[in-house]
Amino acid sequence: MKIRMITQTGVLIALTVVATMFIRIPNPATQGYINLGDSMIFMIAVVFGWRVGGLSGGVGSALADTISGYFLWSPWTLIIKGVEGCLVGSLAWWGHRRFSGWQDQVVSGSAILVGGIWMVLGYYMAGTVLFGSIVALTEIPGNLVQAGVGLMAALPLSILLRRALKRSYYESDAY
């Protein structure tokens, strides 16, 4: 990786940590919480691809869990959110290469939907291992809301960020 990409990835991981820790609505039954981190994971994956999406999703979210005292969830989050970022990034980049305009946005939205479904299922499976299937069911409504809010925030943010990056690239000396 180039120095610029490493630095950029570090900043995006930090952005994911901040978004995850900004608003936390706890679920006492599973010792977990609802947060805004998915909106950043989705946006980052759509704009920067599967590698950066996977790293910022997994490492950023697991770091937020660790810093916030949710140690029990950190290893699970590393895997679940890492795969989420990779899924969204892979599917969105497939769409970027084949479509433009509204069709590209439909593919990006579909990619985010797949990532959100994975996140809900991943945390249900982790909750089942940790607490049993009945208690794990209490995570599903909050995780569905978290994925839905993430989708609604990430799509417009990703459009704006892609435009800004494209404009700054063409206006810089790199062009």
Side-chain angles (χ1 to χ4, degrees), residues 11-70:
V11 169
L12 294 170
I13 288 170
L15 181 63
T16 302
V17 171
V18 170
T20 302
M21 294 177 66
F22 182 64
I23 295 176
R24 290 179 303 200
I25 303 168
N27 179 346
T30 61
Q31 302 167 23
Y33 60 98
I34 300 167
N35 61 75
L36 296 175
D38 286 289
S39 59
M40 288 303 109
I41 296 167
F42 295 153
M43 181 199 66
I44 291 165
V46 167
V47 174
F48 296 99
W50 70 272
R51 286 185 188 106
V52 178
L55 282 170
S56 67
V59 174
S61 299
L63 255 170
D65 280 355
T66 302
I67 293 168
S68 301
Y70 292 90

Side-chain angles (χ1 to χ4, degrees), residues 39-50 52-53 84-85 87-94 96 104-105 107-112 151 154-155 157-159 161-162:
S39 59
M40 288 303 109
I41 296 167
F42 295 153
M43 181 199 66
I44 291 165
V46 167
V47 174
F48 296 99
W50 70 272
V52 178
E84 176 184 324
L87 272 172
V88 173
S90 296
L91 295 171
W93 276 80
W94 174 84
H96 296 334
D104 180 29
Q105 293 308 310
V107 173
S108 294
S110 300
I112 291 171
L151 169 72
L155 272 180
L157 286 174
S158 65
I159 292 168
L161 184 57
R162 285 178 68 201

Side-chain angles (χ1 to χ4, degrees), residues 2-174:
K2 295 180 181 177
I3 297 295
R4 180 179 177 165
M5 184 57 113
I6 292 170
T7 305
Q8 191 175 47
T9 303
V11 169
L12 294 170
I13 288 170
L15 181 63
T16 302
V17 171
V18 170
T20 302
M21 294 177 66
F22 182 64
I23 295 176
R24 290 179 303 200
I25 303 168
N27 179 346
T30 61
Q31 302 167 23
Y33 60 98
I34 300 167
N35 61 75
L36 296 175
D38 286 289
S39 59
M40 288 303 109
I41 296 167
F42 295 153
M43 181 199 66
I44 291 165
V46 167
V47 174
F48 296 99
W50 70 272
R51 286 185 188 106
V52 178
L55 282 170
S56 67
V59 174
S61 299
L63 255 170
D65 280 355
T66 302
I67 293 168
S68 301
Y70 292 90
F71 303 107
L72 177 66
W73 287 101
S74 292
W76 298 97
T77 295
L78 178 67
I79 295 165
I80 293 166
K81 299 290 182 142
V83 169
E84 176 184 324
C86 288
L87 272 172
V88 173
S90 296
L91 295 171
W93 276 80
W94 174 84
H96 296 334
R97 287 191 310 271
R98 286 170 177 69
F99 303 105
S100 62
W102 68 269
Q103 293 169 322
D104 180 29
Q105 293 308 310
V106 169
V107 173
S108 294
S110 300
I112 291 171
L113 194 61
V114 168
I117 291 168
W118 158 254
M119 185 265 298
V120 172
L121 290 174
Y123 277 116
Y124 173 73
M125 291 185 293
T128 298
V129 169
L130 294 171
F131 302 105
S133 60
I134 300 301
V135 174
L137 286 173
T138 66
E139 284 281 308
I140 292 176
N143 284 334
L144 286 171
V145 168
Q146 183 172 306
V149 169
L151 169 72
M152 291 186 297
L155 272 180
L157 286 174
S158 65
I159 292 168
L160 293 172
L161 184 57
R162 285 178 68 201
R163 284 183 189 157
L165 289 172
K166 189 180 209 180
R167 191 174 311 120
S168 71
Y169 175 77
Y170 290 117
E171 291 172 358
S172 73
D173 293 334

